[in-house]
Amino acid sequence: MVCRSKEKGETALSAIRSKTGNENVHLELCDLSSITEIKSFANRFSLKDKPVHVLVNNAGVLENNRLITSEGFELNFAVNVLGTYTITELMVPLLEKAAPDARVITVSSGGMYTAHLTDDLEFNSGSFDGMEQYARNKRVQVALTEKWSEMYKEKGIGFYSMHPGWAETPGVAKSMPSFNERFAGNLRTSEEGADTVLWLALQPKEKLVSGSFYFDRAEAPKHLKFAATAASHARIDPIVDVLRSMANLR
């Protein structure tokens, strides 16, 4: 478990161990909005020299106000895109150790259906809109999953993105209070939201399609019929170059 908060992480760790009886669950602290912390974590973890069979990119944020991290990046982008990109790239050598069964699952959102892939990664043009930025971030994750699948197809690593459905979580309540109140009682539970993540982690790889987007245990379209977002994925190559430069990865 890679968590930002020591207190919350330890509480979750204790609950999981107690509920499952499995003591082989461990906590690593890392703020995934920070490239420095991600690299520090990756270095520590790499020293264990253990294979990574499944990496789940679940950390995410929807901040409605424009906030800048200590490293100078817009916060939503820093967590949802740059952090996701950096930790995935740094885990590739350990994922290779688990090939051919290794896989990366990135938790995206149905919100991405409304957004084109844009190279305005930090929303520098126009009036900042947190909801729109979140949708853009989630579109990048889906396009990145496609790109990773292509880049690492010979390394035995599968890449999948997914939409958990709208679940009743503290994050939704904080970031989308009106939405949360309007649909109170009709949203999914956290367990229901996590279901397809676990399914993707446990399915035989031959039953999955690397680079695909999943919803409710099935492959789902990445684009709405009349949204005209498909062509925008052609921008992913220069975006990857920008992300690699931001993360200072060779």
Side-chain angles (χ1 to χ4, degrees), residues 217-232:
R217 299 191 179 194
E219 193 174 351
K222 299 170 186 172
H223 310 278
L224 296 179
K225 191 170 184 179
F226 299 109
T229 57
S232 70

Side-chain angles (χ1 to χ4, degrees), residues 103-250:
R103 60 195 76 186
V104 175
I105 302 163
T106 298
V107 180
S108 183
S109 168
M112 67 96 188
Y113 280 122
T114 66
H116 291 72
L117 193 65
T118 173
D119 53 12
D120 184 12
L121 297 172
E122 298 189 73
F123 214 123
N124 291 314
S125 298
S127 179
F128 184 81
D129 183 320
M131 286 287 290
E132 172 65 18
Q133 176 67 333
Y134 182 80
R136 292 181 183 186
N137 291 170
K138 294 300 174 177
R139 171 61 69 186
V140 179
Q141 290 179 338
V142 172
L144 267 177
T145 296
E146 284 183 344
K147 184 61 181 176
W148 279 323
S149 178
E150 174 189 318
M151 290 170 60
Y152 297 121
K153 61 185 177 183
E154 304 301 329
K155 293 187 179 293
I157 308 171
F159 292 86
Y160 316 97
S161 56
M162 59 80 66
H163 174 27
W166 296 106
E168 192 167 353
T169 65
V172 170
K174 177 179 181 293
S175 301
M176 305 168 63
S178 298
F179 174 89
N180 194 65
E181 290 174 13
R182 181 180 178 186
F183 291 99
N186 294 307
L187 298 174
R188 296 182 173 201
T189 64
S190 297
E191 289 80 6
E192 289 169 335
D195 178 78
T196 296
V197 176
L198 296 174
W199 180 83
L200 285 167
L202 297 170
Q203 280 294 292
K205 276 181 72 178
E206 59 268 21
K207 294 187 177 181
L208 302 174
V209 180
S210 187
S212 291
F213 181 67
Y214 284 83
F215 176 63
D216 284 352
R217 299 191 179 194
E219 193 174 351
K222 299 170 186 172
H223 310 278
L224 296 179
K225 191 170 184 179
F226 299 109
T229 57
S232 70
H233 278 211
R235 298 187 180 123
I236 192 60
D237 285 351
I239 286 174
V240 167
D241 290 342
V242 170
L243 295 176
R244 181 169 292 276
S245 176
M246 286 177 166
N248 195 23
L249 298 179
R250 295 181 180 178

Side-chain angles (χ1 to χ4, degrees), residues 38 41-43 45-46 49-57 83-106 144-145 147-159 205 240 244 249-250:
I38 292 171
F41 158 70
N43 286 334
F45 195 79
S46 294
D49 198 32
K50 292 184 177 180
V52 173
H53 293 84
V54 183
L55 170 65
V56 179
N57 289 316
T84 294
Y85 171 80
T86 305
I87 197 167
T88 301
E89 290 287 345
L90 292 175
M91 288 294 110
V92 164
L94 299 182
L95 286 157
E96 284 187 81
K97 290 179 179 292
D101 197 43
R103 60 195 76 186
V104 175
I105 302 163
T106 298
L144 267 177
T145 296
K147 184 61 181 176
W148 279 323
S149 178
E150 174 189 318
M151 290 170 60
Y152 297 121
K153 61 185 177 183
E154 304 301 329
K155 293 187 179 293
I157 308 171
F159 292 86
K205 276 181 72 178
V240 167
R244 181 169 292 276
L249 298 179
R250 295 181 180 178

